[in-house]
Amino acid sequence: MRFKLRPSEDAFYDFFNQAAQNLVRGAELLTGLTVVASAETIQSISEGLQEVEHANDDVTHALYNKVNSTFITPFDREDIYRLGSGLDDVMDAMESAGNLVYLYGLSEIPSLPREMAEQIETLNQLARLTAEAMPKLKGMKGLEPYWIEVNRLENEGDRQYRMLLVRLFSGEYEPLNVLKMKEVADDLEEAIDAFEHVANTVETIAAKES
Amino acid sequence: MRFKLRPSEDAFYDFFNQAAQNLVRGAELLTGLTVVASAETIQSISEGLQEVEHANDDVTHALYNKVNSTFITPFDREDIYRLGSGLDDVMDAMESAGNLVYLYGLSEIPSLPREMAEQIETLNQLARLTAEAMPKLKGMKGLEPYWIEVNRLENEGDRQYRMLLVRLFSGEYEPLNVLKMKEVADDLEEAIDAFEHVANTVETIAAKES
Amino acid sequence: MRFKLRPSEDAFYDFFNQAAQNLVRGAELLTGLTVVASAETIQSISEGLQEVEHANDDVTHALYNKVNSTFITPFDREDIYRLGSGLDDVMDAMESAGNLVYLYGLSEIPSLPREMAEQIETLNQLARLTAEAMPKLKGMKGLEPYWIEVNRLENEGDRQYRMLLVRLFSGEYEPLNVLKMKEVADDLEEAIDAFEHVANTVETIAAKES
């Protein structure tokens, strides 16, 4: 029998894993917006994102309750809060992006700009990277490639966002559609930035443990 | 005669009460924008907000001076700063919204969109809730319903903001008027978010004291 | 021979000085955008800003490495990080503004609005003030006029930004050009705000040392 010094710690890692899996699912749902889609399809994607977002709220609240009711936590309480809320920020921004595509009736546009599809692909990569990194929090080993790659992808996302605005302001779209798509682009960019905040938090935690 | 262990503490609570009363006054002034108003009325509302904003700057600076000149503070110095600056952030955002309605000449529009009037009603509710909560900081009792309700209202504000943008981008308004009203909406949304930051700070303080 | 208690400290101050000098150079480059400029001139300004931005990334990373490899730092590690990243945030926002003027093809507009030239002049003043203040970090003396003046200039910048939006929304420009210039204005405003964050960090450091 393996001796477990702090058995209740495992629950914390489970929460982070669950949240990261929700982000993988959320990013996959957003991918459905990058192909020509009917109004019904877009509505069902938005509703799917809302479900995952609610599920992640539950995970986040359960994590906070666990922190409050646990005497010894695997790392600093404030870092656990920051990591949980950072993962939740990603989910909120992705859900908002999907909801806006639905609310603004953007299905009337033939397809979303290529640069926006690139943002969504970046979000999928970030989500998978984050889901692979979370189980390594327990041993706090081998995490450096994760945050380096996240920083690289965030820079890539900045460039995609900048070029998306160039496209939106080029005269190709109606002014009101430009405004609608810019709101969606802002949410996607916010989700990408939030992934970087998560990686920064992990880097901070790792630095304290080393 | 009642024995007062730390008499100078009362000054801190007075500052928080004064700031919250300023926010109640500011939100009431904004309500004047939700009815059909002449350019002169809008100008006088904007000037009224600037006066309250200056008054609140004085309160905030007096609070900071008090923190710097006091050896024992009722709770962590950084939390006092955060609470004072959080209340001030609300005031700044409300003043900015009123000023923009004036500067952009939005009196030419028949009336502000219904969803914007809803944002302003939410601000009034948040201001009154905050003003009722501040006197309870002293005993640090019975504050939980306050931050729960603030969080609920902030979610409601998010929904109002989202639906306001749907309205603004619907084609009902000229593109330049859309841009003007979006700036105002952003400031109102920022004020609502700032009320939530204040409530989060109060929750943090209460958690440390308990 | 002068006795040096903590000789390696000098390296930290050198990094802050270098970063501030980069900001002076960046602000000077932006000034080139305020006169009538050809597409080629704008491209070369944008490329110049990218070079300074890369150079500043190197300074920032070298500072972080120095913090991580030094046992005794001249002031709190987190404040050194905050100061370094704050200076870097200014540079990023200035580079972004210049890049957008180039990417959006804003050379087709006769000249940038006067209020935007004022923002850039404010950035130049802030950069020079910051460069004069950095060498005083070593003795931590005489810094108060610096942060007071930065706060004044940031307020001035807020007013310039507000009046710039009034101008942009006045009907003088095409809607798409309004959107383009607003993105540039937002970056310039972000750079001005970032200078204030730097000054706030310096004030915090000075308060701890006193």
Side-chain angles (χ1 to χ4, degrees), chain A:
Chain A
M1 191 191 125
R2 199 167 74 82
F3 180 73
K4 291 173 80 182
L5 184 62
R6 296 181 292 187
S8 80
E9 280 196 3
D10 285 351
F12 289 101
Y13 302 112
D14 285 347
F15 288 129
F16 297 132
N17 289 339
Q18 285 172 43
Q21 291 301 333
N22 286 335
L23 300 186
V24 171
R25 179 77 192 114
E28 285 169 358
L29 281 163
L30 284 174
T31 304
L33 299 173
T34 63
V35 292
V36 182
S38 66
E40 289 73 27
T41 306
I42 290 175
Q43 181 172 357
S44 94
I45 290 172
S46 173
E47 289 169 357
L49 280 161
Q50 283 184 319
E51 279 172 35
V52 185
E53 194 257 331
H54 288 317
N56 205 60
D57 278 346
D58 292 342
V59 171
T60 310
H61 289 137
L63 170 69
Y64 290 177
N65 286 335
K66 182 75 187 164
V67 175
N68 287 333
S69 64
T70 304
F71 191 65
I72 298 176
T73 53
F75 33 88
D76 282 358
R77 258 157 234 279
E78 72 183 85
D79 288 329
I80 295 176
Y81 278 116
R82 198 174 294 154
L83 188 50
S85 71
L87 292 161
D88 204 49
D89 289 345
V90 177
M91 192 66 237
D92 287 351
M94 293 202 300
E95 185 277 328
S96 176
N99 192 226
L100 293 186
V101 172
Y102 164 59
L103 287 176
Y104 293 160
L106 279 171
S107 58
E108 290 158 28
I109 294 169
S111 74
L112 295 178
R114 179 175 55 78
E115 293 83 359
M116 192 175 279
E118 288 173 2
Q119 283 186 302
I120 292 174
E121 173 53 27
T122 299
L123 281 171
N124 275 277
Q125 293 181 47
L126 286 164
R128 287 193 301 264
L129 267 172
T130 305
E132 288 163 18
M134 289 300 110
K136 296 180 189 164
L137 279 176
K138 202 169 172 177
M140 215 47 94
K141 289 262 182 294
L143 281 159
E144 192 172 358
Y146 150 70
W147 65 66
I148 289 173
E149 180 65 2
V150 168
N151 279 293
R152 192 191 67 76
L153 284 168
E154 194 273 336
N155 282 331
E156 179 67 14
D158 279 350
R159 200 196 53 77
Q160 290 163 347
Y161 177 76
R162 219 177 258 199
M163 296 319 290
L164 175 54
L165 294 202
V166 171
R167 164 83 68 129
L168 292 179
F169 299 160
S170 67
E172 189 177 333
Y173 302 97
E174 295 288 308
L176 286 174
N177 281 334
V178 171
L179 293 176
K180 292 173 183 178
M181 284 191 278
K182 182 165 185 303
E183 290 298 310
V184 177
D186 286 349
D187 278 340
L188 296 173
E189 168 69 359
E190 192 179 319
I192 291 173
D193 283 349
F195 268 119
E196 193 187 31
H197 293 157
V198 168
N200 290 344
T201 302
V202 170
E203 188 175 357
T204 304
I205 295 168
K208 288 184 186 174
E209 298 289 311
S210 70

